[in-house]
Amino acid sequence: MCKSLCSTPKDPDSVDLGWGLEISILNGCSRLMPIICGPHLQKHRCNWWRGTLHWVGYGAVYLLEGFQEEVILAWLCIEGPENPLVLYPTVMNSLPATSRMQKISVLLFLAWVGFLFYAGIALFTSGFLLTRLELTNHSSCQEPPGPGSLPWGSQGKPGACWMASRFSRVVLVLIDALRFDFAQPQRSHGPGEPPVSLPFLGKLDYLQRILEIQPHHSRLYQSKADPPTTTMQRLKALTTGSLPTFIDAGSNFASYAIVEDNLIKQLASAGRRVVFMGDDTWKDLFPGVFSQAFFFPSFNVRDLHTVDNGILEHLYPTMDSSEWDMLIAHFLGVDHCGHKHGPHHPEMAKKLSQMDQVIQGLVERLENDTLLVVIGDHGMTMTGDHGGDSELEISAALFLYSPTALFPSALPQEPEIVPQINLVPTLALLLGLPIPFGNIGEVMVELFSVVEHPQPHSSALAQASALHLNAQQVSRFLHTYSAAAQDLQIKELHRLQNLFSKASADYQRLLQSPQGAEAALQTVITELQQFLRGVRAMCIESWARFSLVRMAGGAALMAAACFLCLLVSQWVTSPGFYFCPLLLTPIAYGLAGAIVCAGLLTATGLKPDPVVLGAMAAVGSLLPFLWKAWAGWGSKRPPAALLPIPGPVLLFLLIRFAAFFSDSFVVAEARATPFLLGSFILLLVAQLHWEGKLLPPKLLTIPRFCLSASTGPPRHNGTHALGLGVGLLLCIRLAGLFHRCPEETPACHSSPWLSPLASMVGGRAKNLWYGACVGALVALLVAVRLWLRRYSNLKSPEPSVLFVRWGLPLMVLGTAAYWALASGADEAPPRLRALVAGASVVLPRAVAGLAASGLMLLLWRPVTVLVKATTGAPRTRTVLTPFSGPPTSRADLDYVVPQIYRHMQEEFRGRLERTKSQGPLTVAAYQLGSVYSAAMVTALTLLAFPLLLLHAERISLVFLLLFLQSFLLLHLLAAGISITTPGPFTVPWQAVSAWALMATQTFYSTGHQPVFPAIHWHAAFVGFPEGHGSSTWLPALLVGANTFASHLLFAVGCPLLLLWPFLCESQGPRKRWQPLGSEAESRVRPEEEEEPLMEMRLRDAPHHFNAALLQLGLKYLFVLGIQILACALAASILRRHLMVWKVFAPKFIFEAVGFIVSSVGLFLGIALVMRVDGAVSSWFRQLVLAQQR
């Protein structure tokens, strides 16, 4: 198949080389010589060796037995024409599969590594965030909770179940987020001082007057909610009397029907009519239970009035109809006002005054057999958020009122503090219903006093009876639960059962002789209360149960994945490393492991767990790969190569790893991260100074590829890197102004610039800020356009570039218009409100649609180059001064080879057509040297605008700082990265670590914290002001995009760490250089200027290019994996720590989700670079085919 090229070809236009390859012959060339450069060839031969051919874009790579890699750069025509020509092998059939397979292998390898991390995270999470066992047992009147007769006073009364009912009907008014101090009057700090004036104090004036005028009919309590303080978990607790677990907080987006016994089902079972109006969350929790219901959408936190006004429309007519036994009204205005404006805004005062009027209207309509309950499900922080366990979040108001006397004693000076779940058994017994089976709350004994006959003995006996019923129910639940689950503490369980047995025996004995036993009754009441409170404390501690086996397995799998990233990131640059065959073995073993595990679980009668199957597949695929990789490469490398991380970077990673075990550091990470990043930047500048690399990178000398280094004068002095470092430190300091303080640091004050412009009161200040935000948008747009114009990519007629010219300004205009409408929607005239509402829906969706269109155009035509065609006189385009014969010296060849790429740029950038009447058509392309970076910057800009739209307006300043900060960091890192051509290419660990740290810093600078109360819920309504109906994935996606925007942007932009040093190779054209004192000196003229190669150097060695992308991805995953591993170990080791659910568990969850978002973004970023590379290859191939036609 091999043909000699030393003879005159038969076809004057081309010669077939076999394997589907041809080379073009111009001007009657009669003898060709291959220009070959490789590590083992000492001379050039005039034939084509046997071997497998691989197309690499600008030459042919083929493998020889005993050789690593040889590159045929071109064919030199040395006989025939007047002027020698440089000709190139070209592909005539189709692009061979080798290059494509390498790209696919890189992406598959990264996807597999990501799967290993995902499996470890899922396995650890399944052992760390477990829910308690939910029992489906139900209480009933036919089955008393324990042995013995009915309680005292219930025998013979009609409608008596466990206890005779005291009320026939109840009105439950749930004011969402009614914090306890919202029900407090204005008070002064000391005598003679004016009262404290806050917008939310003293607004429930009628409630205070009722407490003063009718102290025996009303009572105000401070109810303590159990965290997490999210609405759905609170509703579960308020109806079942149980404790929600931490992981249930995720159900706040997707409410599911309550399967446990609850108060609503008991009412329905007893034939009571339950009417509901308000928050539509109840529809999912209690489907088909209500006799009448008026549901209103609840997720739009910007809407303060729709739900409340809808309730008021039906509330009073329903009360007057008397077709109900329990009326539930769930108001949302106070909660939404807190989310939108905060508790200190004047709108909060208006909402509380409205609620006060509602309470007054209900009190005036109550009948004697009706009980009014006004309660808040949770509180709110100083910023209006909730979900955590701070004092302000768990403190809620509870107000009880009845037209008949309820309390024998006068109003206490300070309201009593009661657990919120105590309301469940209290209401059940007051209404004559069984207490729900899983309740662990304690009855509020004061409500069971005998008011008509205020004798101490009668009241004490009634209270003891209610407590005993309550204790019997809780004891039955403990017995049933401990038989079904083994997560309760056995020793404490036995102690509590003994305490209950003693108290129950004492109570039964007192029933036999009730007269004159007041002191004994008080003792029994105290013992029963101790039992109930002990059970609640035991359950709170025990239901934080863990599966240590799963936690250890998940942590081990994550550690193994980190180890894999570390090893392969070093091995991938080794000669002969081909990871494609190794993927087949892990996949086969992984599937086999999953199948065997599923078979074992099925054989033993257990239900296959997807998490366990995924973990087994991960382990089954990981171990064979490590074994085979170690046998093939690891054993051949020195042990020191296993830890190639530089000392400073290793120290930094160890500090980051250890810091996650400190709750103080996790709380203060928003302040510690800028400090670490600033220290890292100073270290980089100092390292550049020590190593003498304060200048931008230059091309290094690589003798094996016959290339020489430029010895021209330096372009910058030492202040270049110093200026970059100072600029970075300034950007970090400015970004730190946009900070949000954690709840644990009350002395810290969050930045007021994080709030939306709609919350501002002053019109002039709002206008100034709006102008600054629009200015930031325009500055970002101008900066991107100037950058693209500087590298000539903005002149391309490609659709993606046209979109940058016209689409991006439209996106800026749409974003600015939406901000204007959102900030002044409440001030719009009534006749324009419908138009404003419609525009608030259309504009964000239009911006998102434009961004999606731009990304699709970029994927379709990613090559952003400008092609120009000119017609001139016939001439031979050469890169050499004419030879009279073949090169006669080594100096000739040393000059010929480096110039081949120059000629290839000239020939392959355009289409060459011969005509008889005109000279050759020359085609020039600008700018191939930045084609990869241009696509990346364009994609990041298109992603940034819709993500920016999900944030408050003033965060646009942070996004501008983010782009500027990234630009400066890339230049600083590029100053210390040496470019080797044609490879291997490597991104240092310092660059990857700094990039990952900057992503964390941006997360905090955009007003986020790794806690649930700090989530920006308003992002779910950008473009959807009326909510999402029953959809839950779309709001979750929008909120997630807002929260993890920094993770996504930096992960997608991670390939810039590899590309930027090549982009910074030169700032403009330079003169060609020749070695002095050689025979070529008289032949070469330094007259012609040439463009720098820049990113086109990466295409000279595609194997090294793909390996560098894989290595970069593995290094980034390693740095992120170390963080999630540290969080997992901290949460497992400190699982009994006081702050585990407040600090360590939320941090682990945020890091886990952030890792998933980052890994997906990294995959997409590398895939985009490969898409551009494939498009460039296709573009060149089409030009060559067109030339030959």
Side-chain angles (χ1 to χ4, degrees), residues 72-260:
I72 293 183
L73 293 177
W75 296 88
L76 179 65
C77 183
I78 57 177
E79 288 186 8
E82 179 180 357
N83 294 326
L85 300 173
V86 180
L87 310 171
Y88 313 98
T90 60
V91 177
M92 297 303 297
N93 294 335
S94 61
L95 188 67
T98 304
S99 182
R100 288 198 300 265
M101 284 305 298
Q102 284 187 346
K103 293 182 176 65
I104 294 174
S105 298
V106 168
L107 294 178
L108 288 178
F109 200 93
L110 289 175
W112 174 57
V113 174
F115 167 72
L116 298 179
F117 278 107
Y118 300 161
I121 292 172
L123 186 61
F124 181 88
T125 303
S126 66
F128 180 62
L129 300 178
L130 289 178
T131 58
R132 61 178 176 83
L133 178 65
E134 292 185 345
L135 301 179
T136 57
N137 305 61
H138 288 75
S139 301
S140 66
C141 292
Q142 291 74 26
E143 297 180 7
S149 58
L150 289 173
W152 177 85
S154 64
Q155 293 92 339
K157 290 195 175 183
C161 184
W162 290 2
M163 176 175 280
S165 62
R166 187 170 181 181
F167 295 97
S168 301
R169 297 189 297 180
V170 62
V171 177
L172 176 61
V173 178
L174 181 58
I175 302 177
D176 209 294
L178 182 64
R179 205 167 70 189
F180 173 70
D181 55 351
F182 290 178
Q184 292 286 83
Q186 291 185 350
R187 296 178 180 178
S188 59
H189 289 299
E193 297 183 6
V196 178
S197 179
L198 292 173
F200 54 79
L201 290 181
K203 301 307 175 185
L204 298 182
D205 181 64
Y206 183 78
L207 185 146
Q208 290 296 327
R209 284 191 282 117
I210 286 289
L211 291 172
E212 296 173 0
I213 297 173
Q214 297 179 296
H216 295 283
H217 295 252
S218 59
R219 193 70 89 235
L220 178 66
Y221 296 93
Q222 181 179 358
S223 89
K224 292 290 186 178
D226 298 295
T229 50
T230 51
T231 295
M232 205 203 72
Q233 278 61 49
R234 293 294 86 230
L235 295 183
K236 284 185 175 182
L238 282 171
T239 55
T240 63
S242 61
L243 297 176
T245 53
F246 184 84
I247 194 61
D248 285 341
S251 303
N252 207 42
F253 289 106
S255 304
Y256 300 103
I258 297 178
V259 298
E260 290 184 289

Side-chain angles (χ1 to χ4, degrees), residues 726-903:
V726 172
L728 265 172
L729 295 176
L730 180 61
C731 289
I732 293 172
R733 183 67 185 91
L734 292 176
L737 299 177
F738 296 82
H739 67 281
R740 185 188 186 108
C741 296
E743 304 166 0
E744 294 78 9
T745 56
C748 176
H749 300 283
S750 298
S751 172
W753 303 339
L754 297 175
S755 59
L757 294 180
S759 62
M760 297 185 65
V761 179
R764 183 177 181 182
K766 181 187 295 186
N767 293 336
L768 290 176
W769 271 111
Y770 176 76
C773 296
V774 175
L777 287 180
V778 175
L780 182 59
L781 172 64
V782 171
V784 173
R785 287 172 62 93
L786 288 177
W787 186 89
L788 292 174
R789 179 176 297 174
R790 183 179 185 279
Y791 291 100
S792 302
N793 298 103
L794 196 61
K795 300 177 182 179
S796 172
E798 294 295 332
S800 57
V801 178
L802 295 177
F803 185 87
V804 172
R805 293 181 189 172
W806 305 107
L808 280 183
L810 289 177
M811 294 172 64
V812 171
L813 183 62
T815 303
Y818 173 74
W819 285 350
L821 296 177
S823 60
D826 297 335
E827 304 169 3
R831 64 179 182 276
L832 296 179
R833 287 183 178 175
L835 179 61
V836 170
S840 299
V841 175
V842 173
L843 287 175
R845 299 184 184 183
V847 172
L850 284 172
S853 302
L855 290 173
M856 294 300 295
L857 290 175
L858 183 64
L859 292 175
W860 175 45
R861 301 289 293 274
V863 181
T864 55
V865 297
L866 173 64
V867 178
K868 290 184 178 180
T870 58
T871 303
R875 62 188 179 96
T876 302
R877 298 187 59 83
T878 67
V879 294
L880 305 173
T881 302
F883 283 103
S884 60
T888 59
S889 67
R890 183 70 181 177
D892 291 338
L893 292 176
D894 287 344
Y895 179 67
V896 169
V897 175
Q899 302 307 314
I900 290 174
Y901 174 74
R902 316 297 180 188
H903 184 77

